[in-house]
Amino acid sequence: MSREVLMAAAMEVVDTNGAGAFSMRALGGFLDCDPTAMYRHFATKNALLDALVDSVVRDGVADLPESDDPRADIRANFRQLRRSLLAHPTLAPLVLRRPPGVGAYWERSDHAVAQLHRAGMDPADAANVYQTLLFYTLGHTLSEARQLARAVEKEGAGARGGPVAQVRPPAELHPDLSDVAPHLREDNEAQFLAGLDLILRDLPR
Amino acid sequence: MSREVLMAAAMEVVDTNGAGAFSMRALGGFLDCDPTAMYRHFATKNALLDALVDSVVRDGVADLPESDDPRADIRANFRQLRRSLLAHPTLAPLVLRRPPGVGAYWERSDHAVAQLHRAGMDPADAANVYQTLLFYTLGHTLSEARQLARAVEKEGAGARGGPVAQVRPPAELHPDLSDVAPHLREDNEAQFLAGLDLILRDLPR
DNA sequence: ACCTGAACACCGTTCAAGT
DNA sequence: ACCTGAACACCGTTCAAGT
C-alpha cells in the first residue's frame, strides 16, 4: 500500500463521514487492513491529517493565472484557495495547524506577492496587503466551512450551508447592527470577493 | 455546584493543560467529583465548550470606548477581541464552532457598525467593511493562537510564540516572496493593526 | 432531587508475534 | 521487510442504582 492511495482513502473517509469521525480504525475498515498498518507511512494520525491539509493548500497552484491584470490574478489566487478549502469543509479548520509560512504556502504566496510587486507596490506595503488578504481569506473561508461542515455532518456529504455572516439581532437592542444586517450578502462568494476588493482597493496602476 | 464555578474550573483546566487535554474525566478530577456530574448543567461536552467560547467573545465588550474618533473605537474593538482570544490560545480555534451571527457577537458587532455609521458610511459599505474586519481578525488571531497553543502544549501555560507569518522560502525558487519576507513584522500586534488600518484606510471623515 | 459509578462503544499508539 | 492484533491507557455518554 502506497502513501498516495492511503492519503486518497483518508480524504474520502474525511469527506464522507467528516473529519470528526475520521479515525485510524475507520480508515483501516475502509481499506480492509489493520488500523495500525498506517504507522508504516505516517508517524501519527496528526501527521496524516497535516499531509491532507498541505495537499489542499497546494491544490491548483500550478494553474494560477499570470495575465496582464495583477489585481485579477490575485483575486483568482485567493478565490481558488477558498474553493479548495470549501471542497473539504470538515478538514478545512485544520489548516490552522499549519503555520502560514510552511512549504505548502510558498508557491501560492510567491504568486500573490509577485502580482503586488508587478502592480508597482513596494515590499513593505506588499507584505501588509499580502498578510491581510491571507488572514481575511482564512477567517472568511473557515467560518463558511464550519457551517458547511455542520450541514455535512447532519445531512451527509454534498449538503449546502447558509450565508456565513447572517445576523438577526433584536432591533431594539442593536439598532445599528440591524440596519446593516440586510446588506450582509446571501451569496457567500460575492461577500468574500467584496472583502478582497476592499483590501485591494487602491492597488497601484 | 453552580454553572459558574463549573465554567471557571473548565476554563482553568483548558488554560493549563490545553483544550486538547480537556475531558469530562479531567474536569471531574479537578473538581473532585464524578465526571458525569457535569451533565446536570450541560447536555454535552461541546455545549460546555461553546459556553466557554461565548464568554471569551463577550469578554470586555462593556468597556468598548465611544470617543469622538470612530476609527480609534473600531480599532479598540477588534484589538480587544484579539486579546481576549489570545488569552486562551488553545480554546481560541473553537470560536469557529460559533457562527459569527450568534448572540455572543451582537454587542461587539453593534458597536463596530455604529462607529462605521457615525463616520458617515452607508449601510452597504459598512456591512462590507464590518465583515472584512471581523474575518481578518479571526484569521489573524486564530493563526497566532495556534502557534501560541503549540508553545503552551510543549512548554506549559504562559509560553510565548513566534511571529505569526514568518516565512523562510528558498530565495531561488520564490524570489518575490523572499523580498517581502523581511517586512512581515516580528511584532504580531503591530502587523495585526497594520491590517486593520489597511481595511479602514479610507473611512470617511 | 441529585450524585454515583458501572458499563458501552469507542479512541491513538505500542510492541511482541507472526509471515 | 512488512503486517497483525492483543493490549494499554484513555475517551463521551447513558442509565440503573444509590442517597
Side-chain angles (χ1 to χ4, degrees):
Chain A
M1 168 183 318
S2 77
R3 199 184 143 100
E4 281 71 31
V5 319
L6 203 161
M7 282 183 58
M11 191 70 96
E12 194 167 335
V13 171
V14 165
D15 286 338
T16 57
N17 298 1
F22 172 77
S23 73
M24 295 311 236
R25 282 170 167 90
L27 181 55
F30 183 83
L31 286 168
D32 264 324
C33 72
D34 195 89
T36 65
M38 272 63 85
Y39 289 83
R40 292 282 134 198
H41 296 95
F42 294 93
T44 199
K45 182 196 173 189
N46 281 341
L48 205 175
L49 288 172
D50 287 348
L52 290 184
V53 166
D54 281 356
S55 80
V56 172
V57 170
R58 258 193 255 265
D59 179 52
V61 281
D63 304 329
L64 290 178
E66 297 230 23
S67 72
D68 54 2
D69 182 351
R71 180 194 299 245
D73 295 349
I74 293 170
R75 270 174 59 117
N77 185 328
F78 289 96
R79 186 155 141 271
Q80 194 228 40
L81 175 58
R82 171 179 174 273
R83 291 198 172 165
S84 294
L85 288 168
L86 292 182
H88 309 280
T90 71
L91 186 68
L94 303 184
V95 291
L96 293 177
R97 299 171 41 80
R98 313 296 296 155
V102 92
Y105 284 93
W106 288 345
E107 295 101 319
R108 190 179 290 282
S109 306
D110 193 58
H111 174 273
V113 168
Q115 306 322 306
L116 294 172
H117 182 75
R118 212 149 61 89
M121 195 167 265
D122 69 71
D125 285 343
N128 187 28
V129 171
Y130 164 70
Q131 68 96 9
T132 305
L133 288 168
L134 176 64
F135 292 124
Y136 164 67
T137 301
L138 289 180
H140 194 283
T141 304
L142 296 188
S143 295
E144 188 175 353
R146 269 297 199 186
Q147 258 181 250
L148 253 172
R150 204 186 311 274
V152 167
E153 276 152 14
K154 209 183 304 175
E155 301 153 40
R160 299 280 329 138
V164 68
Q166 192 161 37
V167 178
R168 301 193 179 288
E172 329 78 72
L173 280 176
H174 305 296
D176 293 284
L177 184 55
S178 297
D179 276 0
V180 153
H183 294 92
L184 292 167
R185 315 278 185 90
E186 286 286 322
D187 178 347
N188 286 326
E189 175 146 310
Q191 187 195 66
F192 170 71
L193 292 174
L196 285 188
D197 286 339
L198 173 63
I199 297 167
L200 291 170
R201 193 173 12 164
D202 59 18
L203 194 66
R205 301 188 54 81
Chain B
M1 168 184 315
S2 77
R3 199 184 142 103
E4 280 71 31
V5 320
L6 203 161
M7 281 182 58
M11 192 70 97
E12 194 167 335
V13 172
V14 164
D15 285 338
T16 57
N17 298 4
F22 172 77
S23 72
M24 294 311 236
R25 281 170 169 90
L27 180 54
F30 183 84
L31 286 167
D32 264 324
C33 72
D34 195 88
T36 65
M38 273 63 85
Y39 288 85
R40 294 279 135 200
H41 296 94
F42 294 93
T44 198
K45 182 195 175 189
N46 281 340
L48 205 175
L49 289 173
D50 286 348
L52 290 183
V53 166
D54 281 356
S55 80
V56 172
V57 170
R58 258 192 257 264
D59 179 53
V61 280
D63 304 329
L64 291 178
E66 296 231 24
S67 71
D68 54 1
D69 184 348
R71 182 194 299 244
D73 296 348
I74 293 170
R75 270 173 60 118
N77 185 327
F78 289 97
R79 185 155 141 273
Q80 194 229 40
L81 175 59
R82 170 178 174 274
R83 291 198 173 166
S84 294
L85 287 168
L86 292 181
H88 310 280
T90 70
L91 186 68
L94 303 185
V95 292
L96 293 177
R97 299 171 41 78
R98 314 294 303 158
V102 93
Y105 283 94
W106 288 345
E107 294 100 319
R108 192 179 288 283
S109 306
D110 193 57
H111 174 273
V113 168
Q115 307 320 307
L116 294 172
H117 182 74
R118 212 147 64 88
M121 195 167 265
D122 69 71
D125 285 344
N128 187 30
V129 171
Y130 164 69
Q131 69 94 11
T132 306
L133 288 168
L134 175 65
F135 292 124
Y136 164 67
T137 301
L138 289 179
H140 194 282
T141 303
L142 296 188
S143 294
E144 190 175 353
R146 269 297 199 188
Q147 258 181 248
L148 254 172
R150 205 187 311 273
V152 167
E153 275 151 14
K154 211 183 300 175
E155 302 153 38
R160 300 279 330 138
V164 66
Q166 193 162 36
V167 177
R168 301 193 178 289
E172 328 79 75
L173 280 176
H174 305 294
D176 293 284
L177 183 56
S178 298
D179 277 359
V180 153
H183 293 92
L184 292 167
R185 314 278 185 88
E186 287 285 322
D187 178 347
N188 287 327
E189 175 146 309
Q191 186 195 68
F192 170 71
L193 292 175
L196 285 188
D197 286 339
L198 173 63
I199 296 168
L200 291 170
R201 192 174 10 166
D202 58 19
L203 195 66
R205 300 189 54 81

